[in-house]
Amino acid sequence: MAKFELKLPKMGESVAEATITNWLKKVGEKIEIDEAVLEIATDKVDSEIPSEVSGVLSEILFNVDDIVKVGQTIAIIETESPPTPEGGAQSEVNLNISESVKSIESSIAKSTDIVSTPPSGAGGLSDKFFSPLVKNIAKQEGISISELESINGSGKEGRVTKEDILNYIKSPLAPKGGIPSGGKSGVIQDEVKTPNGIIQQNTTINKPQPAPPLGAGGLSNGDEIVEMDRMRKLISGYMMASINTSAHVQSFIEVDVTNIWKWREKNKNAFEKREGEKLTFTPIFMEAVAKALKDFPGMNISVDGDYIIKKKNINLGMAASLPNGNLIVPVIKNADQLNLVGMAKAVNDLGNRAKAGKLKPDDTQGGTYTVTNVGTFGSVFGTPIINQPQVGILALGAIRKVPAVIETPEGDFIGIRNKMFLSHSYDHRVVDGALGGSFVKRVADYLEAFDINRDF
């Protein structure tokens, strides 16, 4: 019998660890090749880790809720024959299919071109690479760039890891912050979404642990205190981080989508019969947004400290519902290269997998702009919060039949039209009103100019 080490696979450059949420197999149980062994959670995505070999699960090295680093061995599988060099103990397990690893490695290679900036408040620039997590810890602890460079890194090529900087902070040489009065002190890790939709752990030292809230007037009979689940904590932290980061400003515009409404009603059955896909309004709207981003590349950027990163690809995030009612933002990669059929297939695929809880970590990475459909819940318009580190997000309001003035060569008259509001939130640090307003106006222009006689 040979032993095969099941390792936690790579899930993106900024994803250094994951939480084990469920073991699907017990010690002593037989495992077939590609059969799921356990479930893990990164950000809001739950993924299954399959086995590359057939055998018997002989040892489980981590418990549920344990945090495991990428590359760590999480279980031992006994096989009947020694694993090949390509699939031996040193290989990393794929996330469902081998193409996932290739895609993730490709995205990592692209992301290395992104400029690395020093922590905010740290003087000067550095030639050394520091991860967003390390820079964030340094910022919160007031560690200067020169001080950060003096830390001996244990990571690849001498990079400073999270453990390195935390150990430095605990050392006598490190600056010591005061402990706020009340509560316990300790190291608290809040996970928040960062560039490309990847999870980052936002570490705060000596952060007090608040007691359960009693409410403004105390507890009454029948009141219940319920702790937020993991996902709600993530969303809460991300929302506050975005508000505290970006200078949010909004522009609103009303759009006449009567032609789109009529065209969809006319073609939706034929579309589903020919393509095997339902035709919703979303892919039509996403197509218009992708076109507008090509016209206004200043909206297709991200911010990293004092640097602006101009994105080459147009990757549209779309808010989708999860089985538990929370929202997640899977990403349509290279959306500007898709025709309407391709866009519909991408929208339906991501939406269906989100509802089934089958999204992969890579599905939520790499977004450059986000669209959310608040009209799904009946809202006329909304003021969405920017998906960091992006600089804009568009909310699609509900389509309503309203009386409107219609201009004709024979004069104006009142008619019934299908209209909706577009709500554009953008980061006023880098996007001025002219750009933010012009962008959402261009989206509206594309929608109102929709050809009612077009083919799909």
Side-chain angles (χ1 to χ4, degrees):
M1 300 285 286
K3 292 186 177 181
F4 176 83
E5 295 183 3
L6 182 63
K7 298 177 181 292
L8 183 67
K10 293 180 181 178
M11 293 164 288
E13 183 184 21
S14 297
V15 183
E17 54 196 23
T19 302
I20 295 177
T21 57
N22 185 31
W23 281 97
L24 303 175
K25 292 290 184 178
K26 297 178 181 179
V27 172
E29 289 189 344
K30 184 174 177 57
I31 299 172
E32 300 295 335
I33 189 169
D34 291 331
E35 187 177 7
V37 180
L38 71 156
E39 294 175 341
I40 62 169
T42 61
D43 192 3
K44 294 164 283 188
V45 178
D46 294 336
S47 300
E48 294 180 344
I49 302 297
S51 173
E52 284 189 338
V53 298
S54 298
V56 176
L57 182 61
S58 63
E59 190 175 357
I60 291 176
L61 303 180
F62 291 92
N63 299 318
V64 172
D65 293 331
D66 283 350
I67 297 177
V68 185
K69 296 181 183 297
V70 169
Q72 274 191 298
T73 301
I74 50 182
I76 303 296
I77 300 173
E78 290 190 352
T79 63
E80 295 182 357
S81 59
T84 64
E86 291 80 7
Q90 299 302 316
S91 67
E92 293 176 332
V93 181
N94 293 334
L95 282 177
N96 299 325
I97 55 176
S98 60
E99 286 77 6
S100 298
V101 171
K102 294 179 182 179
S103 174
I104 293 171
E105 290 175 343
S106 175
S107 66
I108 292 174
K110 293 178 181 178
S111 64
T112 57
D113 295 330
I114 295 178
V115 178
S116 177
T117 61
S120 176
L125 295 174
S126 173
D127 293 330
K128 294 183 65 176
F129 173 85
F130 298 107
S131 69
L133 174 56
V134 170
K135 290 191 294 182
N136 192 47
I137 297 174
K139 173 184 176 181
Q140 294 183 19
E141 294 302 314
I143 297 176
S144 67
I145 188 65
S146 58
E147 191 174 2
L148 189 58
E149 288 181 324
S150 68
I151 300 175
N152 293 324
S154 61
K156 183 179 180 181
E157 298 179 353
R159 290 182 180 178
V160 177
T161 66
K162 179 185 69 175
E163 287 74 17
D164 294 332
I165 191 169
L166 291 181
N167 289 334
Y168 174 78
I169 291 170
K170 295 175 184 177
S171 72
L173 298 177
K176 301 296 181 181
I179 300 176
S181 60
K184 296 180 180 179
S185 65
V187 178
I188 307 299
Q189 294 178 332
D190 298 320
E191 291 179 312
V192 295
K193 202 171 184 181
T194 59
N196 298 329
I198 300 173
I199 278 296
Q200 167 180 321
Q201 285 193 328
N202 188 15
T203 305
T204 303
I205 307 302
N206 294 328
K207 180 177 178 180
Q209 297 291 323
L214 295 179
L219 292 176
S220 303
N221 290 336
D223 290 348
E224 182 182 5
I225 297 176
V226 180
E227 184 179 3
M228 295 182 188
D229 60 23
R230 174 182 171 275
M231 187 176 301
R232 181 49 53 184
K233 291 178 182 177
L234 295 179
I235 294 173
S236 174
Y238 166 59
M239 293 294 104
M240 291 306 302
S242 182
I243 288 293
N244 292 330
T245 298
S246 295
H248 283 64
V249 67
Q250 284 84 26
S251 292
F252 307 93
I253 191 168
E254 191 174 27
V255 190
D256 189 328
V257 293
T258 304
N259 284 350
I260 294 176
W261 182 280
K262 291 180 178 179
W263 182 86
R264 177 179 173 274
E265 287 296 309
K266 176 183 176 182
N267 292 284
K268 63 181 181 180
N269 292 332
F271 185 94
E272 184 173 3
K273 183 177 180 180
R274 193 185 85 175
E275 302 296 336
E277 298 281 349
K278 290 187 178 296
L279 179 61
T280 65
F281 291 105
T282 301
I284 301 174
F285 298 148
M286 299 294 266
E287 181 185 53
V289 172
K291 289 180 180 179
L293 285 171
K294 291 190 73 172
D295 297 339
F296 294 95
M299 289 303 312
N300 199 52
I301 66 174
S302 65
V303 178
D304 187 357
D306 293 332
Y307 293 85
I308 294 173
I309 303 172
K310 298 179 179 180
K311 298 294 185 177
K312 178 181 178 181
N313 298 327
I314 294 177
N315 300 332
L316 290 183
M318 49 169 275
S321 296
L322 288 169
N324 59 8
N326 288 318
L327 294 179
I328 193 171
V329 185
V331 176
I332 302 173
K333 308 294 174 60
N334 298 308
D336 58 313
Q337 299 178 19
L338 299 176
N339 60 16
L340 186 57
V341 173
M343 188 73 78
K345 289 180 181 293
V347 167
N348 291 344
D349 172 59
L350 291 173
N352 291 336
R353 287 197 286 124
K355 291 177 182 177
K358 294 184 178 180
L359 288 174
K360 304 170 188 176
D362 192 51
D363 291 327
T364 62
Q365 298 178 17
T368 60
Y369 187 88
T370 298
V371 178
T372 180
N373 191 351
V374 298
T376 301
F377 314 107
S379 297
V380 177
F381 60 82
T383 55
I385 297 176
I386 295 169
N387 191 4
Q388 296 296 328
Q390 299 167 23
V391 299
I393 179 171
L394 186 70
L396 308 172
I399 300 176
R400 303 166 300 135
K401 289 184 177 181
V402 297
V405 175
I406 302 174
E407 298 179 356
T408 71
E410 291 76 26
D412 299 341
F413 64 94
I414 301 295
I416 303 299
R417 307 293 290 178
N418 295 97
K419 290 195 172 188
M420 65 182 294
F421 282 99
L422 302 180
S423 310
H424 187 209
S425 294
Y426 46 96
D427 189 343
H428 213 355
R429 294 179 303 165
V430 292
V431 179
D432 293 326
L435 174 57
S438 297
F439 170 79
V440 70
K441 178 63 165 59
R442 184 62 55 85
V443 176
D445 290 342
Y446 279 129
L447 295 178
E448 291 190 340
F450 187 88
D451 185 1
I452 196 170
N453 296 313
R454 70 176 284 182
D455 190 13
F456 50 80

